[in-house]
């Protein structure tokens, strides 16, 4: 019997979805290191025709969103496939607090004269609504990285759209477990699977989900022509990570709720940004839109030096970029190219699955 993602709970689907079912089959799809297939079936070359393991991964991730999904070699490869749909002379809209790689694709295309870019504060809902009626591509993040601003996705998605307009939600911070952009009315939901989906900081991957079959076909074509099909080992590891995604998120999110409260009350900390805090400007919107507040926190120390010292003093929490791993990590974001506009002492903390008291002991000695 094959499982239907709509008939079982998310937890069950993550654990049991997409497994081989033939009698005598192994419980897991294998690592399939292959470029070419013996002639005679629909598969001829893996860059264009996929593999059974990749299709299983896509089935599980698509099932979470009630959609079809495509897996990519990275989050940026997924983003590139989306930008590949944009015709010359159209308008692209991105958040002013946008993942810097995506912002760079948009800016480079603008510099080449391919399209114009409008950068909007995600809190400025009216401007996003107006943009939806003009722009070919409306790319929004919510919560944003690293300021954790919340966009009114429901209002933006419901606005009248440009006839071919695509609303794409970069759902990396929320994940499909806390937010379902397609249910809200977006055309594409995107995640960097490098982060919470894979969850172990041991791979790069990306995923796009859509309910539009024609768009799916175009994105699949872009994946083939841009050469961004995920590697065999990464595909296997991502599917393995997905099995524990809910468990990991629940634990790291529970940890983050505790740490955010304690950071917000700490004398050395300026602003603490976490959607679960009442003091967060997007708190109520987050409560209406997200089923959980996630495990990303950003907070400000007094200066760049104070931030650097705190990172250098970390013992348990890793001083590293990226996020969404089972291990906690932290960095000072203004050090990243393209992020110089951020408060100099802003630290971005990706909360993992360690014991919360161990995490607090490390964090509080580092910022003391
Ligand atoms: C990491 C990240 C990306 C890019 O994904 P990669 O897998 O690193 O290519 C895009 N958006 C957000 C919000 C991210 O955190």
């Amino acid at each position: 019997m094959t499982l239907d993602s709509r008939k079982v709970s998310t937890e069950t689907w993550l654990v049991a979805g997409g497994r081989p079912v033939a009698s005598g089959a192994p419980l897991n799809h294998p690592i399939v290191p292959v470029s070419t297939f013996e002639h005679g079936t629909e598969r001829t070359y893996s860059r264009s025709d996929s593999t059974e393991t990749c299709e299983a991964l896509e089935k599980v991730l698509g099932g979470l969103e009630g959609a079809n999904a495509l897996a990519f070699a990275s989050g940026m490869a997924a983003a590139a496939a989306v930008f590949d749909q944009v015709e010359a002379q159209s308008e692209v809209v991105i958040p002013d607090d946008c993942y810097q790689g995506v912002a760079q694709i948009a800016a480079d295309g603008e510099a080449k004269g391919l399209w114009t870019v409008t950068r909007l504060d995600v809190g400025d809902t009216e401007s996003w609504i107006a943009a939806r009626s003009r722009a070919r591509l409306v790319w929004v993040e919510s919560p944003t990285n690293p300021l954790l601003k919340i966009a009114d996705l429901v209002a933006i998605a419901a606005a009248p759209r440009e006839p071919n307009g695509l609303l794409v939600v970069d759902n990396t911070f929320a994940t499909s477990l806390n937010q379902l952009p397609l249910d809200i009315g977006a055309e594409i939901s995107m995640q960097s699977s490098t982060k919470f989906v894979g969850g172990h900081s041991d791979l790069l991957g990306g995923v796009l989900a859509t309910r539009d079959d024609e768009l799916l076909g175009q994105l699949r074509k872009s994946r083939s022509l841009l050469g961004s099909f995920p590697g065999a080992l990464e595909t296997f590891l991502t599917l393995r990570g997905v099995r524990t995604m809910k468990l990991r998120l629940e634990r790291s999110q529970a940890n983050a709720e505790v740490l955010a409260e304690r950071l917000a009350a700490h004398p050395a900390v300026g602003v603490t940004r976490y959607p679960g805090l009442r003091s967060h400007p997007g708190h109520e919107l987050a409560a209406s839109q997200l089923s959980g507040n996630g495990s990303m926190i950003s907070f400000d120390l007094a200066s760049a030096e104070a931030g650097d010292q705190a990172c250098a003093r970390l013992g348990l929490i890793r001083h590293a970029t990226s996020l969404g791993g089972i291990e906690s990590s932290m960095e000072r974001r203004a050090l990243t190219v393209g992020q110089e506009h951020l408060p100099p002492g802003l630290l971005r903390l990706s909360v993992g699955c360690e014991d919360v008291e161990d995490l607090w002991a490390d964090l509080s000695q580092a910022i003391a």
Side-chain angles (χ1 to χ4, degrees):
M1 190 193 81
T2 53
L3 213 59
D4 183 338
S5 63
R6 289 159 304 183
K7 296 199 176 129
V8 292
S9 69
T10 306
E11 288 89 335
T12 304
W13 178 248
L14 284 170
V15 172
R19 290 190 187 271
V21 289
S23 93
L27 292 194
N28 295 298
H29 286 285
I31 301 171
V32 186
V34 74
S35 56
T36 190
F37 299 84
E38 179 78 16
H39 267 291
T41 68
E42 280 169 14
R43 285 192 225 274
T44 60
Y45 195 60
S46 59
R47 171 161 55 70
S48 42
D49 302 324
S50 197
T51 62
E52 62 180 83
T53 306
C54 188
E55 282 169 6
L57 171 63
E58 292 170 344
K59 184 175 176 187
V60 179
L61 293 174
L64 291 178
E65 302 241 11
N68 288 308
L70 290 172
F72 287 81
S74 67
M76 287 307 298
V82 172
F83 278 80
D84 199 34
Q85 310 310 312
V86 179
E87 295 83 3
Q89 311 311 324
S90 35
E91 180 180 348
V92 167
V93 183
I94 59 170
D96 57 7
D97 178 32
C98 186
Y99 180 75
Q100 82 277 0
V102 174
Q104 194 71 57
I105 295 187
D108 286 356
E110 184 175 43
K112 289 179 198 150
L114 294 180
W115 49 64
T116 59
V117 183
T118 306
R119 295 166 181 82
L120 299 175
D121 183 332
V122 296
D124 180 4
T125 307
E126 292 310 313
S127 295
W128 284 91
I129 288 174
R132 175 101 161 118
S133 68
R134 300 186 315 258
R136 176 70 166 95
L137 175 60
V138 175
W139 180 286
V140 64
E141 267 176 53
S142 182
T144 63
N145 173 19
L147 296 176
L148 296 157
K149 291 187 189 170
I150 309 293
D152 190 341
L153 294 179
V154 176
I156 299 168
R161 66 163 166 148
E162 196 264 354
N164 294 313
L166 295 180
L167 174 62
V168 183
V169 178
D170 182 338
N171 209 24
T172 301
F173 271 38
T175 82
S176 333
L177 300 181
N178 278 339
Q179 179 164 269
L180 294 168
L182 304 180
D183 277 0
I184 293 173
E187 279 71 42
I188 299 176
S189 170
M190 174 270 178
Q191 287 173 92
S192 164
S193 340
T194 308
K195 316 295 167 54
F196 295 98
V197 177
H200 294 76
S201 309
D202 55 5
L203 60 88
L204 292 171
V207 59
L208 299 176
T210 182
R211 291 176 184 162
D212 179 332
D213 288 342
E214 197 187 326
L215 180 57
L216 185 81
Q218 287 161 357
L219 294 166
R220 191 190 297 280
K221 182 176 166 205
S222 293
R223 181 178 70 176
S224 174
L225 295 181
L226 297 173
S228 47
F229 188 72
L233 178 61
E234 287 77 2
T235 301
F236 173 88
L237 287 174
T238 309
L239 184 51
R240 179 175 158 133
V242 162
R243 303 297 182 201
T244 56
M245 189 178 168
K246 179 106 181 171
L247 288 169
R248 286 184 283 106
L249 188 72
E250 277 172 2
R251 170 64 176 252
S252 62
Q253 186 164 268
N255 285 349
E257 300 275 356
V258 174
L259 297 182
E261 295 283 355
R262 293 187 190 174
L263 284 167
H266 195 285
V269 175
V271 185
T272 301
R273 300 173 200 80
Y274 183 68
L277 291 176
R278 269 179 218 291
S279 57
H280 190 275
H283 175 68
E284 274 169 32
L285 194 52
S288 72
Q289 232 167 234
L290 292 161
S291 48
N293 294 305
S295 44
M296 296 303 299
I297 302 172
S298 71
F299 62 98
D300 294 353
L301 295 186
S303 63
E305 294 68 41
D308 287 338
Q309 275 173 17
C311 289
R313 279 205 293 257
L314 291 171
L316 169 63
I317 299 168
R318 308 313 304 242
H319 179 202
T321 195
S322 199
L323 54 112
I326 194 161
E327 72 292 337
S328 299
S329 62
M330 187 166 91
E331 68 170 339
R332 187 166 75 78
R333 279 306 284 174
L335 281 175
T336 307
V337 177
Q339 303 273 284
E340 300 84 358
H341 61 284
L342 293 171
L346 183 148
L347 298 176
R348 188 185 69 185
L349 173 63
S350 172
V351 182
C353 297
E354 303 90 340
D355 176 77
V356 70
E357 296 306 335
D358 289 338
L359 287 175
W360 180 245
D362 193 34
L363 198 55
S364 53
Q365 65 77 28
I367 65 178

